[in-house]
Amino acid sequence: MCFNKFYKIWFSTSLIILFIISGCTVKHIHSVTIFEIQGQVFDKQSNLPLENVKVSFIDTGYDYVRSKKPLPIEIGQSDSNGLIKARFNYLWAHKDFIFYGPPKETFQIVLSKKLYAPRRFNFDESKLERDAFIFEVNLEEVYMVPINKINN
């Protein structure tokens, strides 16, 4: 009986110590990544610049919570010449723990406009050019297809 009680106390104490140790080894790290997105968007049929094309950012591998359920964050739109110039400061967090690998640091840029098929671009931070702490995302020239041309 005494041995059984000792075993329960020892087991409970060991579990508490294990939880304390594992809790102390997880660090939540908050980071900011700055993106500068540029490019120009055109109608594929007419080759004319498209105005008011929404530019959205989707986290696919930075934040340990948001990248699991990616939602678009609107960060800008094209001007009357179809030019895109958006600067986005993305605040994100990840866990620094032995069971969690480093974040993938991947994202998508989505261009969307009513009556046009959206365009989606995948990026990996390690493959982007960088100017100090700013990552440059150059979309160059993007051609969007009107939806009525896709269905025909």
Side-chain angles (χ1 to χ4, degrees), residues 117-133:
R119 295 289 311 269
R120 188 175 297 257
F121 302 91
N122 296 308
F123 293 96
D124 183 333
E125 182 183 285
S126 66
K127 295 180 175 113
L128 293 175
E129 288 188 33
R130 149 185 231 178
D131 180 20
F133 298 105

Side-chain angles (χ1 to χ4, degrees), residues 114-152:
K114 194 173 188 176
L115 303 178
Y116 286 86
R119 295 289 311 269
R120 188 175 297 257
F121 302 91
N122 296 308
F123 293 96
D124 183 333
E125 182 183 285
S126 66
K127 295 180 175 113
L128 293 175
E129 288 188 33
R130 149 185 231 178
D131 180 20
F133 298 105
I134 301 170
F135 290 92
E136 297 174 4
V137 180
N138 191 354
L139 299 174
E140 298 178 3
E141 292 182 351
V142 178
Y143 292 87
M144 296 187 72
V145 178
I147 291 177
N148 62 354
K149 291 297 174 190
I150 293 174
N151 296 332
N152 291 336

Side-chain angles (χ1 to χ4, degrees), residues 39-43 48-56 74-85 110-116 144:
Q40 193 167 15
V41 62
F42 299 92
D43 178 294
L48 292 173
L50 286 176
E51 184 177 11
N52 298 325
V53 174
K54 292 180 184 178
V55 180
S56 300
E74 190 175 328
I75 59 173
Q77 60 184 6
S78 63
D79 67 11
S80 60
N81 295 319
L83 291 173
I84 296 169
K85 288 190 181 237
V110 179
L111 303 181
S112 59
K113 181 172 175 68
K114 194 173 188 176
L115 303 178
Y116 286 86
M144 296 187 72

Side-chain angles (χ1 to χ4, degrees), residues 6 11 17 21 32 51 54 60 76 102 124 135:
F6 172 76
F11 183 72
I17 291 171
I21 290 172
V32 173
E51 184 177 11
K54 292 180 184 178
T60 60
D124 183 333
F135 290 92

Side-chain angles (χ1 to χ4, degrees), residues 61 94-95 100-105:
H94 68 97
K95 294 179 182 179
Y100 297 102
K104 295 186 298 184
E105 296 176 340

